[in-house]
Amino acid sequence: MTARLLLRLQGAAAIVSFLLVILSLSLVPARAAISSGRGCVPSERAKLISFKGSFTDPAGRLSSWRGGDCCQWKGVRCDNRTGHVIELDLHGGEDDSEVIMLRGEMMSSSIAALRHLRYLDVSFIDFNFTRIPLFRGTLDNLRYLNLSYANFLGDIPLQLGNLSQLQYLDLSYGYALNALDLSWLSRLGSLKSLHMSTMNLNMSTISTLSHSNLTHVEVLDLYNNPFYSLLQHNWFWKVTTILKELRLSDTALSGPLPNELGNISSLEVLYLDMNQLSGIMPMALKNLCNLQLLALSFNNIKGDMLERLPECSWSKLRKLDLHNANLAGQLPVWIGNLTNPSYLDISWNMLVGRVPFGMGNMRSLSYLDLSQNRLVGWFFTFWDRKHEESKLS
């Protein structure tokens, strides 16, 4: 009796084990489907195919754009939960051989149907001097838009101001773009980073910014545009109060820096190099306690600029570029208190005297240039020995 019961129990256990195996196998596809997301939305796949058709692609950069699941294509990212395309990153390389890898006769309007798109980068693609699409009432979810180095032509469409969720906009190196009216920027209430370097801008164009509310912008890059007296406009200082990064290199700025610069206490990066700035730096610079990078090279600065660097930023300053800035006087003793600089260039100035002993404590330095001054001292021997030791190790 006991033996017969034992056999029955063993049989029941075997059946249960078999059923558990079958159940686990049936769950594997479900788990796989969940982990791989819902796959591509068919209508969005069709729009991407149409978009691909607007390019010539001799290097085959879009060769992966085939098959049913567009979420697996290179440069395409989808929402794992809904399957909608949320990112399209097709940017080319920055060297001449890659700029023409993708060439478009016109940016296909089919991309405007990707209503869930948050990120679009078509930089370094040659659009052959065609116009930027109008994006009428579409792409409402776009947060990032990079159209730099893309050879667009004509007016910047005012409809860009409809992209109310946009946080990052880059139109840099749009040589053939017209920007007669920038008032549409005032409608981009979420914009944090604006890049418009090397464009067809001038003071009459940039003055339209005076009617724009840019007080929320943290990064402003206007490199290589002729603005001349921009810094003397009161409206400019009113719209840049929370900037963390300001790039105004090679913008034909002249005259002294105004005291208002010191009101942007949030500044971490400041590029004012390759201009015609002159005069004594304002004492208000001492308010820039968050400064990490300062570039003032190729200007005509008078007085003791180094003495006006903000003491409260000594522990944060990582890069200081003051070469060919017409600096005079001596290196201040306190310069050794800059504890974190990795880049220091004060070459081609008129500095005299001994190099302060404390500069030997700059252990983070990877680039140093004090040449073309009249400096003397133990430091040059120390620095040469330090680099000889690093070569041997």
Side-chain angles (χ1 to χ4, degrees):
M1 187 73 175
T2 304
R4 189 177 302 169
L5 180 59
L6 182 60
L7 286 173
R8 287 179 180 176
L9 289 174
Q10 289 176 341
I15 292 172
V16 171
S17 298
F18 177 75
L19 290 174
L20 288 174
V21 170
I22 295 298
L23 181 61
S24 65
L25 289 175
S26 68
L27 289 175
V28 169
R31 290 196 189 112
I34 292 172
S35 63
S36 61
R38 294 185 56 179
C40 184
V41 175
S43 61
E44 294 186 356
R45 178 187 180 278
K47 295 301 180 182
L48 287 175
I49 290 295
S50 175
F51 184 62
K52 176 185 177 182
S54 65
F55 293 105
T56 56
D57 185 16
R61 289 193 60 216
L62 302 182
S63 59
S64 68
W65 284 35
R66 58 174 180 262
D69 189 1
C70 65
C71 300
Q72 304 300 318
W73 297 351
K74 183 179 180 180
V76 178
R77 191 165 74 89
C78 299
D79 186 302
N80 285 333
R81 184 175 57 84
T82 65
H84 288 297
V85 175
I86 59 174
E87 181 174 316
L88 194 56
D89 187 354
L90 301 179
H91 74 276
E94 297 186 13
D95 58 90
D96 292 338
S97 64
E98 292 190 44
V99 168
I100 60 173
M101 288 179 68
L102 274 179
R103 185 184 180 100
E105 291 304 316
M106 182 173 289
M107 188 171 173
S108 173
S109 59
S110 62
I111 197 173
L114 304 176
R115 304 184 68 91
H116 299 271
L117 201 64
R118 299 176 189 170
Y119 184 107
L120 176 60
D121 189 342
V122 291
S123 58
F124 291 94
I125 293 178
D126 185 3
F127 283 99
N128 197 28
F129 298 105
T130 55
R131 294 182 179 275
I132 299 175
L134 297 182
F135 301 125
R136 294 183 186 274
T138 61
L139 302 183
D140 295 335
N141 292 295
L142 205 62
R143 269 75 164 172
Y144 181 104
L145 179 59
N146 192 338
L147 304 177
S148 63
Y149 293 91
N151 283 343
F152 284 113
L153 173 72
D155 296 335
I156 298 175
L158 302 180
Q159 287 78 6
L160 286 182
N162 297 334
L163 305 177
S164 58
Q165 301 298 315
L166 205 61
Q167 298 176 12
Y168 180 102
L169 176 61
D170 194 343
L171 297 169
S172 298
Y173 293 86
Y175 304 101
L177 286 174
N178 297 322
L180 300 178
D181 184 0
L182 296 178
S183 60
W184 53 270
L185 284 169
S186 63
R187 307 204 306 273
L188 299 181
S190 300
L191 196 65
K192 299 293 184 185
S193 187
L194 176 61
H195 301 261
M196 302 184 77
S197 65
T198 316
M199 292 182 61
N200 190 22
L201 304 180
N202 53 44
M203 268 314 300
S204 61
T205 299
I206 206 69
S207 64
T208 63
L209 283 175
S210 62
H211 304 293
S212 301
N213 180 18
L214 295 182
T215 55
H216 44 274
V217 173
E218 297 179 357
V219 177
L220 182 60
D221 181 3
L222 299 173
Y223 163 76
N224 193 22
N225 286 294
F227 296 144
Y228 304 103
S229 59
L230 174 68
L231 298 183
Q232 278 66 50
H233 283 262
N234 290 332
W235 63 262
F236 178 77
W237 302 110
K238 291 178 181 178
V239 302
T240 55
T241 52
I242 67 164
L243 277 178
K244 292 183 178 179
E245 185 171 327
L246 178 60
R247 294 175 180 263
L248 295 174
S249 306
D250 196 15
T251 50
L253 300 176
S254 60
L257 279 175
N259 284 318
E260 287 84 353
L261 179 62
N263 295 335
I264 315 177
S265 58
S266 55
L267 263 182
E268 298 175 1
V269 175
L270 178 59
Y271 277 91
L272 293 171
D273 51 309
M274 295 184 290
N275 286 297
Q276 290 95 50
L277 295 172
S278 60
I280 298 175
M281 291 293 101
M283 288 297 295
L285 281 182
K286 291 185 175 292
N287 297 330
L288 305 183
C289 295
N290 294 297
L291 205 59
Q292 299 178 26
L293 188 155
L294 176 62
L296 278 166
S297 59
F298 292 101
N299 281 291
N300 187 26
I301 300 170
K302 296 179 180 179
D304 198 346
M305 163 65 197
L306 291 172
E307 288 292 353
R308 302 196 174 213
L309 286 177
E311 181 178 347
C312 53
S313 71
W314 286 355
S315 62
K316 299 175 183 177
L317 203 61
R318 294 181 289 104
K319 179 175 180 179
L320 182 59
D321 188 352
L322 299 174
H323 77 277
N324 212 334
N326 202 29
L327 299 180
Q330 297 183 332
L331 284 174
V333 173
W334 58 258
I335 198 168
N337 294 327
L338 300 178
T339 54
N340 287 314
S342 58
Y343 185 105
L344 180 59
D345 190 347
I346 318 179
S347 61
W348 291 92
N349 284 293
M350 297 176 289
L351 298 172
V352 298
R354 301 186 65 83
V355 176
F357 184 83
M359 288 190 69
N361 298 323
M362 294 183 178
R363 302 299 180 183
S364 299
L365 273 178
S366 58
Y367 182 92
L368 174 67
D369 194 348
L370 303 177
S371 63
Q372 304 304 317
N373 285 289
R374 296 183 179 180
L375 296 169
V376 296
W378 64 274
F379 182 79
F380 294 101
T381 303
F382 165 80
W383 186 255
D384 291 341
R385 186 186 305 122
K386 179 179 177 181
H387 277 265
E388 288 299 322
E389 290 173 354
S390 64
K391 289 177 184 178
L392 292 174
S393 60

